Amino acid sequence: MEAVTTAAFLHLCLCATAAVSDIGSTETLVLSAPGDIATLPCYTDSDVPPTLTTWAKNGREVARGDASSPSPPSAGRRVAVTTDGGLSIGTVARGDEGAYLCSSTLPGNNTFHARVSLQVASGPENVSASIGPATALANGTLVVFRGSSVSFNCSGASYPAQRLTWATPGNESLASTSGSWLDFRMERVQPSAQGLYSCRARNPVSGREVNTSSQLLVYYVPDRHPECTWAPAQDPSHAQFNCTWFGAYPTPTLRWGEDEGNRGARRNGSVYASGSTESLSVTLDRSMLSDGQTLRCAAQHLALAAVPGASCSFTLRSPYPEGEPLVTALEATDVTLTCTEAVSLPPANTTWRRGLRQEAVVPGWKYVVSEEGPVLELKILNISKDDEGVYFCRSENALAVRELEVYLTVKTSSTYTGAILGVFIAALIVGSAAIVAKTLYFNRHRFCLGDGFGLMEEDRGDVLSLVESDDDQVFQDAVPRLAPLANGLQTTLVQMHRIPSSDHEDAEPADTSLQQQEDTSLQQQEDTALTEEPQDLVTF
Ligand SMILES: *[C@@H]1O[C@H](CO)[C@@H](O)[C@H](O)[C@H]1NC(C)=O
Ligand SMILES: *[C@@H]1O[C@H](CO)[C@@H](O)[C@H](O)[C@H]1NC(C)=O
Ligand SMILES: *[C@@H]1O[C@H](CO)[C@@H](O)[C@H](O)[C@H]1NC(C)=O
Ligand SMILES: *[C@@H]1O[C@H](CO)[C@@H](O)[C@H](O)[C@H]1NC(C)=O
Ligand SMILES: *[C@@H]1O[C@H](CO)[C@@H](O)[C@H](O)[C@H]1NC(C)=O
Ligand SMILES: *[C@@H]1O[C@H](CO)[C@@H](O)[C@H](O)[C@H]1NC(C)=O
Ligand SMILES: *[C@@H]1O[C@H](CO)[C@@H](O)[C@H](O)[C@H]1NC(C)=O
Ligand SMILES: *[C@@H]1O[C@H](CO)[C@@H](O)[C@H](O)[C@H]1NC(C)=O
Ligand SMILES: *[C@@H]1O[C@H](CO)[C@@H](O)[C@H](O)[C@H]1NC(C)=O
Ligand SMILES: *[C@@H]1O[C@H](CO)[C@@H](O)[C@H](O)[C@H]1NC(C)=O
């Protein structure tokens, strides 16, 4: 990642003649790094060594050398004059930079002056950039998320202070400073900020430049959740579920699965499809779908780390067509059969069928089918006796097929008269029945009827035995279901039997035990009878 460019590499001494020599004098530039040994030249003609040389820095003498008695090198001294009049600095340190002046006396009493400019520079080194908060990908590319605030900090070590600059291919200077670090902050990062960021550190003295750069990607997800849709498949027992999530960068991973914990025993949060895509569709058939099952499309994306759970889901429902099961209409009128299918998910294909063979109802001069929201209506025009019969409101989705059966009775005007006659006869019967009932009531001691006898209704194969505690008499009749016991029945033991078990000599042990216990706690016996013979109880 780090690319290091060296403009100039400093060694022991890098000399360059900066100015042309005056008569009897020269000016030289010496560049050195801390720790180096540097030699500042004075007189270049080594054939004629100078007799005396003095070196001054910024006007102050720092060394003096005699040709006859040269100052002993490194006798505790960092600087010394060489035999040819040069100034040797054992270990260059920060602060040694400055303007040096050499004065040499040559044989023949000629003097020579030379100016040397010493510059001390090091670095930049250890240049590093940190961009954050960011996530590093395996290849070193950094990822930040749209809208976040990102800090770009670049640092390095340099003497003297380096020039630090943040740049992109499109902007040579996003920020710049002289110092050991440069922090540049970007608020609410936008996708356009994606690119290569380089931090350049440049030593102002040596011109050495070090460059480090990072590839930055700006990831983002849309504000919306994924969208789950369905589409009918060719085969009605299949359904296609589509999940789309546009506007994420990079491409998200979508996964169609079943919610865990739901039908856990059968499918352990199974995944039906998964892929790196913006649109994922899966086709499921009846064997994989069940009522109440929740299908979920979950999106995975690095930019979602902070807000997990971007998903959409369906809770599947089998069709459930509802409506009036019995419809009566007068001949030569129009009748409308109504069916409401409101729960099915995915939405059912609801159609009207006719007859036991469920032939499709073809709209035309006879039938008008209309749909308004969840309500599907079938209007049958000018009905005749032929229209009588069974109609089906058939509702099918990928989960199941369910039908609402509607029976249409067509009354002709004659049946109408008949009906009126029927009502008259019925009234007559009810009247006579009332008289009979009254007679029976006044003679009830002869029939030994219990107070709760009114429970009995039409014959449905079950038998209710009423045992009056006083005189052990058993009456039997058939009831369709057991009505809740009223308080008034507390003295009566209620037992259920199946026809043809007709009397109290029933072989069932529970029965016999009950018969024996009759005179003890009757309420308790009721409870026992109801719980010990569940196979004989009619649920209510
Ligand atoms: C050299 O010159 C200086 C003055 O510039 C003078 O004092 C000195 O005597 C001279 N020496 C000789 C050997 O000429
Ligand atoms: C640069 O880094 C190395 C290793 O981390 C360290 O030893 C050295 O002192 C650093 N140089 C400067 C000038 O900070
Ligand atoms: C690093 O990986 C990301 C995603 O995998 C890719 O977009 C990017 O181009 C890669 N960068 C480099 C320098 O290969
Ligand atoms: C930038 O990085 C340098 C070196 O790691 C550190 O000393 C400095 O505090 C950082 N600046 C900011 C603003 O984080
Ligand atoms: C470079 O970025 C700086 C800071 O964002 C801005 O002031 C400057 O105008 C930009 N220059 C160019 C050429 O885009
Ligand atoms: C810094 O490095 C990058 C890639 O390493 C390069 O594209 C860019 O030109 C360099 N910049 C300078 C000023 O050297
Ligand atoms: C799913 O959605 C995508 C994008 O809207 C569309 O291209 C594709 O046809 C859809 N598939 C189904 C089965 O609806
Ligand atoms: C569901 O999966 C987990 C781990 O994948 C497993 O531990 C668990 O037993 C599974 N449950 C069922 C009911 O299969
Ligand atoms: C509904 O089912 C009928 C046949 O039962 C078929 O002709 C029709 O295309 C289906 N409609 C849709 C929307 O699937
Ligand atoms: C209704 O049907 C009967 C025969 O079923 C027909 O005679 C009559 O003309 C029809 N009425 C209308 C209005 O179509």
Side-chain angles (χ1 to χ4, degrees):
M1 177 165 81
E2 186 174 329
V4 177
T5 314
T6 310
F9 199 79
L10 297 178
H11 266 304
L12 286 173
C13 178
L14 226 160
C15 309
T17 306
V20 192
S21 57
D22 223 26
I23 300 165
S25 80
T26 57
E27 180 153 351
T28 312
L29 176 68
V30 174
L31 203 54
S32 183
D36 290 349
I37 297 167
T39 305
L40 312 188
C42 180
Y43 180 64
T44 47
D45 189 355
S46 55
D47 292 346
V48 192
T51 52
L52 178 72
T53 306
T54 57
W55 279 92
K57 180 193 175 192
N58 300 334
R60 243 190 78 234
E61 185 180 301
V62 291
R64 169 181 289 266
D66 216 319
S68 52
S69 58
S71 57
S74 70
R77 297 175 56 118
R78 207 161 58 85
V79 292
V81 176
T82 58
T83 49
D84 64 354
L87 181 69
S88 162
I89 304 174
T91 314
V92 175
R94 295 177 180 191
D96 284 346
E97 64 269 27
Y100 287 79
L101 181 68
C102 138
S103 304
S104 267
T105 307
L106 300 173
N109 214 4
N110 293 323
T111 57
F112 182 84
H113 300 283
R115 270 192 292 275
V116 178
S117 173
L118 175 65
Q119 295 189 330
V120 179
S122 73
E125 54 184 340
N126 296 358
V127 172
S128 71
S130 78
I131 300 178
T135 307
L137 299 179
N139 63 12
T141 297
L142 296 177
V143 167
V144 298
F145 303 120
R146 180 174 64 187
S148 62
S149 288
V150 178
S151 148
F152 297 75
N153 188 2
C154 180
S155 64
S158 161
Y159 180 82
Q162 68 217 326
R163 185 94 206 149
L164 288 167
T165 306
W166 272 110
T168 57
N171 190 332
E172 272 304 299
S173 177
L174 291 165
S176 188
T177 193
S178 244
S180 64
W181 55 266
L182 165 63
D183 184 62
F184 144 68
R185 219 172 160 71
M186 202 183 273
E187 306 289 340
R188 291 184 301 282
V189 171
Q190 292 306 303
S192 57
Q194 185 163 302
L196 184 73
Y197 285 80
S198 305
C199 170
R200 221 163 51 222
R202 188 174 187 276
N203 190 306
V205 168
S206 64
R208 188 188 174 204
E209 197 171 282
V210 176
N211 182 355
T212 176
S213 40
S214 293
Q215 184 75 40
L216 188 72
L217 297 176
V218 180
Y219 281 10
Y220 51 90
V221 290
D223 297 335
R224 333 174 275 287
H225 280 281
E227 212 169 284
C228 288
T229 55
W230 58 77
Q234 217 82 38
D235 183 338
S237 67
H238 289 61
Q240 198 174 43
F241 298 95
N242 209 4
C243 177
T244 54
W245 202 43
F246 296 110
Y249 173 81
T251 308
T253 297
L254 299 180
R255 196 186 66 220
W256 266 116
E258 186 175 344
D259 268 7
E260 286 193 42
N262 187 11
R263 309 256 180 298
R266 220 184 73 199
R267 283 203 190 87
N268 190 357
S270 39
V271 171
Y272 297 117
S274 173
S276 175
T277 173
E278 293 192 309
S279 172
L280 179 70
S281 92
V282 63
T283 301
L284 300 177
D285 67 28
R286 204 157 279 172
S287 69
M288 304 162 97
L289 304 172
S290 58
D291 195 61
Q293 178 183 6
T294 298
L295 290 183
R296 184 175 296 278
C297 169
Q300 284 179 318
H301 196 278
L302 208 54
L304 275 175
V307 199
S311 68
C312 55
S313 65
F314 291 123
T315 297
L316 303 179
R317 293 285 171 220
S318 297
Y320 195 80
E322 290 177 289
E324 275 300 318
L326 293 173
V327 174
T328 305
L330 255 185
E331 198 171 27
T333 62
D334 298 342
V335 69
T336 300
L337 310 185
T338 304
C339 174
T340 305
E341 171 56 73
V343 297
S344 170
L345 198 99
N349 181 359
T350 306
T351 49
W352 280 103
R353 310 278 176 120
R354 209 210 139 160
L356 291 173
R357 293 172 62 192
Q358 296 207 3
E359 281 148 13
V361 162
V362 183
W365 60 272
K366 187 76 198 169
Y367 303 108
V368 178
V369 176
S370 62
E371 197 174 349
E372 203 182 312
V375 181
L376 186 72
E377 286 184 344
L378 171 65
K379 191 170 186 182
I380 308 171
L381 305 172
N382 190 16
I383 55 171
S384 64
K385 201 68 188 165
D386 291 344
D387 294 321
E388 190 166 85
V390 68
Y391 291 79
F392 293 94
C393 172
R394 183 180 188 275
S395 205
E396 173 171 28
N397 73 359
L399 274 72
V401 182
R402 287 233 177 107
E403 284 139 358
L404 165 72
E405 204 178 308
V406 180
Y407 195 86
L408 175 66
T409 307
V410 177
K411 293 201 186 289
T412 55
S413 21
S414 55
T415 35
Y416 206 55
T417 332
I420 294 166
L421 198 69
V423 168
F424 178 73
I425 291 165
L428 216 62
I429 291 167
V430 169
S432 345
I435 294 161
V436 172
K438 203 173 172 186
T439 318
L440 286 176
Y441 181 75
F442 287 115
N443 297 289
R444 67 190 184 283
H445 56 282
R446 298 187 196 165
F447 294 89
C448 305
L449 284 174
D451 285 343
F453 202 61
L455 283 172
M456 291 151 212
E457 288 175 32
E458 61 180 303
D459 189 343
R460 285 281 286 270
D462 287 309
V463 169
L464 178 69
S465 304
L466 298 176
V467 184
E468 195 148 82
S469 52
D470 291 340
D471 47 20
D472 267 357
Q473 296 211 43
V474 176
F475 287 83
Q476 297 169 351
D477 201 350
V479 289
R481 60 198 177 98
L482 194 63
L485 296 173
N487 285 340
L489 283 174
Q490 274 175 2
T491 55
T492 306
L493 178 67
V494 179
Q495 298 172 1
M496 299 297 298
H497 303 273
R498 295 231 169 254
I499 287 174
S501 66
S502 54
D503 56 33
H504 59 281
E505 283 174 11
D506 201 308
E508 286 174 84
D511 262 1
T512 17
S513 67
L514 283 169
Q515 304 276 333
Q516 289 158 358
Q517 291 171 9
E518 268 165 18
D519 290 332
T520 57
S521 167
L522 292 165
Q523 181 60 56
Q524 188 192 337
Q525 285 166 4
E526 278 178 19
D527 295 340
T528 318
L530 290 168
T531 52
E532 284 190 356
E533 291 188 279
Q535 71 275 17
D536 284 339
L537 288 175
V538 181
T539 49
F540 55 91

